[in-house]
């Protein structure tokens, strides 16, 4: 039984409870001498419906996690399991083929041995499906009966419903925090495993990056895991070249749209500019690789450069800068537009020109939003992968020449985690160490942005 069917069953039972509770509340209202209740009938209805749906949702989530394991254990307990290999990829393949046929996802099996497990899988799936349905009905009935019996004319259903909704909102707000904590814990665990194989100083300060996934994992060469070229490539492409393009263009476009453009022109230009944020990065990558990179190579040849590369940090950085212009422009636009009109009028009334008003009043007042937009743009840029792969190559070079090919941290994370590499090999684990460093850098940028914004607001106020 798929979780979707159980969810639909829960919603149906919740609707039935909602209607029953609402009808009971109306009965209380008619029987009351003054025709008044402590809460509206709709709150009584929602109270019962929530007590039916929420416990069932929790059960469905837990059941979806444990049911596949129970089914597999039941199949492995059958006599046909004696024919399976002891362990390995072939064993799992046989079970997956049998399960696919039993669930109807496939019509036939390729491995003859998998036929022996189709019927055990069908029996186990049917058995645990009925258990899931029965448990769902029991939980829904218990929750509905308990909440339904609590309904009275003086029952404060609204207060209870609001508490439940507040708890749901609190849980939703904690999702981002818990996700961040989970990312941090998973990264630091694998990073410590990597640093147990490779010297952290060699990783953080080494200047040569060339992990070999086929090397002996018991005796790794720490000199091949120097990440300085990756850090420099990420900084050079994402935080220097891209920002040189994005910050001036984004800020100037925001100033023009808020202070100079007429409303009709702004209504066309602003949505058109923000469309850039919705273009897939692979499209930007093709544009960089097929248009910008050859143009930069031809320009370098015209300047006398000998054999310039068709893949360069400049090509990736320029296109990346264009891609993140909407992040800077949109945040700056909203921040400048939010500055009180009285401040602008007061500056103009004191004799300041429009230019001076923008530079000395509007931009300083909107600086927190502008800084937030720039930090968001930098975080977006240093996490970009596709443009760098297609326009700047995967070569880890330590160079200040924008015409040279370079790579970034994110590109190497993808390279290390794809393929058949073992998760016990330092080459694969290096991806987690790179991800941990990138995570800490992004977190540091956010803290710096918050400190800058806080200090400016204190001085401004």
């Amino acid at each position: 039984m798929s979780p979707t069917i159980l969810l639909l069953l829960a919603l149906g039972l919740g609707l039935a409870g909602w209607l029953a509770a609402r009808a009971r509340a109306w009965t209380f209202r008619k029987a009351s001498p003054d025709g008044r209740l402590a809460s509206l009938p709709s709150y009584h209805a929602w109270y019962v419906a929530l007590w039916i749906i929420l416990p069932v949702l929790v059960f469905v989530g837990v059941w979806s996690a444990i049911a596949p394991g129970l089914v597999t254990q039941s199949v492995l307990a059958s006599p046909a399991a004696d024919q399976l290999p002891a362990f390995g990829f072939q064993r799992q393949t046989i079970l997956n083929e049998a399960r696919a046929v039993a669930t109807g996802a496939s019509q036939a099996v390729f491995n003859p041995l998998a036929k022996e497990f189709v019927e055990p899988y069908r029996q186990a799936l049917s058995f645990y499906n009925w258990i899931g349905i029965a448990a769902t009905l029991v939980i829904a009935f218990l929750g509905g009966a308990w909440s339904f019996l609590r309904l009275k004319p003086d029952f404060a259903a609204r207060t209870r419903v609001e508490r439940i909704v507040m708890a749901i909102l609190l849980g939703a707000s904690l999702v981002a925090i818990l996700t961040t904590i989970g990312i941090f814990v998973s990264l630091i665990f694998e990073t410590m495993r990597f640093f147990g194989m490779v010297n952290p100083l060699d990783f953080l300060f080494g200047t040569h990056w060339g992990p070999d996934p086929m090397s002996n994992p018991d005796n790794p060469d720490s000199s091949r895991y120097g990440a300085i070229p990756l850090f420099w490539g990420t900084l050079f492409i994402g935080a220097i070249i891209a920002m040189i393009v994005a910050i001036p263009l984004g800020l100037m476009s925001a100033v023009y749209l808020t202070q100079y453009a007429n409303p009709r022109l702004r209504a066309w230009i602003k949505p058109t500019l923000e469309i850039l944020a919705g273009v897939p990065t692979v499209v930007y990558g093709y544009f960089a690789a097929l248009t910008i990179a050859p143009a930069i190579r031809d320009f370098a040849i015209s300047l006398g450069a000998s054999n310039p590369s068709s893949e360069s940090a400049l090509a990736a950085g320029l296109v990346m800068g264009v891609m993140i212009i909407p992040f800077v422009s949109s945040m700056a636009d909203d921040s400048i537009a939010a500055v009180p009109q009285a401040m602008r009028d007061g500056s103009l009334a004191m004799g300041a020109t429009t230019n001076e008003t923008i530079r000395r009043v509007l931009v300083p007042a909107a600086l927190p939003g502008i800084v937030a937009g720039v930090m968001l743009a930098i975080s977006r840029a240093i996490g970009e992968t596709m443009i760098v792969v297609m326009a700047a190559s995967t070569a880890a070079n330590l160079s200040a020449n924008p015409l040279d090919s370079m790579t970034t941290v994110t590109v190497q994370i993808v390279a290390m985690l794809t393929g058949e590499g073992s998760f016990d090999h330092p080459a694969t684990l290096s991806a987690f160490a790179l991800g941990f460093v990138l995570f800490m850098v992004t977190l540091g940028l956010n803290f710096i942005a918050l400190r800058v914004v806080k200090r400016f607001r204190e001085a401004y106020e």
Side-chain angles (χ1 to χ4, degrees):
M1 184 68 63
S2 67
T4 303
I5 297 178
L6 295 179
L7 292 175
L8 292 176
L9 180 61
L11 293 176
L13 294 173
L15 177 60
W18 190 92
L19 295 173
R22 190 171 183 272
R24 184 176 177 83
W26 276 107
T27 302
F28 291 150
R29 188 168 186 175
K30 292 178 181 179
S32 177
D34 56 358
R36 302 178 66 178
L37 300 176
S39 300
L40 293 175
S42 60
Y43 284 107
H44 290 77
W46 279 113
Y47 178 75
V48 173
L50 290 173
W51 266 104
I52 293 175
I53 295 175
L54 294 180
V56 170
L57 290 179
V58 174
F59 168 74
V60 170
V62 175
W63 185 251
S64 300
I66 66 174
L70 295 175
V71 171
T72 302
Q73 289 181 2
S74 177
V75 171
L76 293 177
S78 64
D82 297 335
Q83 307 176 41
L84 281 173
F87 57 88
F89 178 76
Q90 185 181 5
R91 173 191 177 96
Q92 192 60 41
T93 301
I94 293 172
L95 294 176
N96 289 340
E97 288 185 12
R99 186 186 185 94
V101 173
T103 57
S106 179
Q107 300 298 322
V109 296
F110 295 98
N111 193 315
L113 185 56
K115 294 181 180 180
E116 303 294 331
F117 296 91
V118 172
E119 191 58 32
Y121 256 117
R122 285 176 178 164
Q123 295 176 0
L125 287 170
S126 176
F127 176 73
Y128 285 106
N129 284 343
W130 283 110
I131 289 181
I133 294 175
T136 299
L137 294 174
V138 169
I139 293 173
F141 175 78
L142 292 177
W146 183 82
S147 57
F148 189 82
L149 293 176
R150 298 192 67 189
L151 300 182
K152 297 178 181 178
D154 59 346
F155 181 67
R158 187 187 70 175
T159 303
R160 305 302 175 87
V161 170
E162 289 178 349
R163 288 178 181 176
I164 295 174
V165 173
M166 287 180 62
I168 294 174
L169 295 177
L170 176 62
S173 65
L174 292 176
V175 168
I177 299 175
L178 296 177
T179 301
T180 303
I181 295 175
I183 292 173
F184 178 80
V185 171
S186 61
L187 285 178
I188 198 170
F189 176 75
E190 300 296 341
T191 300
M192 294 307 297
R193 289 182 59 197
F194 172 73
F195 285 148
M197 304 176 184
V198 175
N199 190 329
L201 296 179
D202 293 335
F203 173 76
L204 295 174
F205 301 104
T207 58
H208 173 66
W209 177 262
D212 183 8
M214 305 305 295
S215 63
N216 183 7
D218 297 328
N219 187 25
D221 184 4
S222 297
S223 64
R224 299 178 65 91
Y225 291 90
I228 287 293
L230 307 185
F231 300 151
W232 168 247
T234 302
L235 178 67
F236 192 53
I237 296 174
I240 296 179
I241 299 177
M243 289 302 107
I244 290 175
V245 175
I247 293 177
L249 294 180
L251 187 57
M252 287 188 291
S253 64
V255 170
Y256 173 76
L257 290 175
T258 56
Q259 303 302 315
Y260 295 103
N262 61 64
R264 295 183 60 184
L265 183 62
R266 172 184 167 84
W268 282 95
I269 294 181
K270 184 173 173 59
T272 303
L273 184 64
E274 292 180 348
I275 287 176
L276 292 174
V279 177
T281 56
V282 66
V283 176
Y284 283 110
Y286 277 118
F287 176 66
L290 301 179
T291 304
I292 302 300
I296 293 176
R297 180 194 59 201
D298 296 340
F299 177 73
I301 293 175
S302 67
L303 295 179
S306 59
N307 194 23
S309 174
S310 60
E311 298 174 323
S312 65
L314 182 60
L318 289 177
V319 176
M320 194 181 298
V322 172
M323 179 188 69
I324 60 179
I325 285 176
F327 292 93
V328 179
S329 175
S330 181
M331 293 290 289
D333 187 308
D334 295 339
S335 300
I336 294 174
V339 176
Q341 183 67 22
M343 296 182 63
R344 183 178 185 274
D345 294 341
S347 176
L348 295 174
M350 293 294 291
T353 64
T354 302
N355 189 332
E356 291 172 334
T357 300
I358 293 171
R359 289 187 293 109
R360 299 185 179 182
V361 177
L362 298 182
V363 172
L367 189 59
I370 296 174
V371 171
V374 170
M375 291 297 104
L376 178 64
I378 293 176
S379 299
R380 178 69 178 84
I382 65 176
E384 176 54 39
T385 303
M386 187 58 66
I387 295 176
V388 181
V389 170
M390 302 180 71
S393 84
T394 58
N397 294 324
L398 185 60
S399 171
N401 185 357
L403 299 178
D404 288 343
S405 56
M406 297 183 187
T407 192
T408 61
V409 169
T410 53
V411 172
Q412 291 302 311
I413 290 175
V414 174
M416 294 298 103
L417 290 179
T418 53
E420 300 295 333
S422 170
F423 275 82
D424 293 326
H425 197 284
T428 305
L429 293 176
S430 65
F432 295 96
L434 292 173
F436 178 75
V437 173
L438 187 64
F439 176 82
M440 296 304 296
V441 168
T442 305
L443 192 64
L445 288 175
N446 290 330
F447 277 123
I448 292 173
L450 291 175
R451 294 295 300 174
V452 170
V453 171
K454 183 179 179 181
R455 177 173 297 182
F456 177 81
R457 280 180 175 170
E458 290 176 350
Y460 179 73
E461 293 172 353

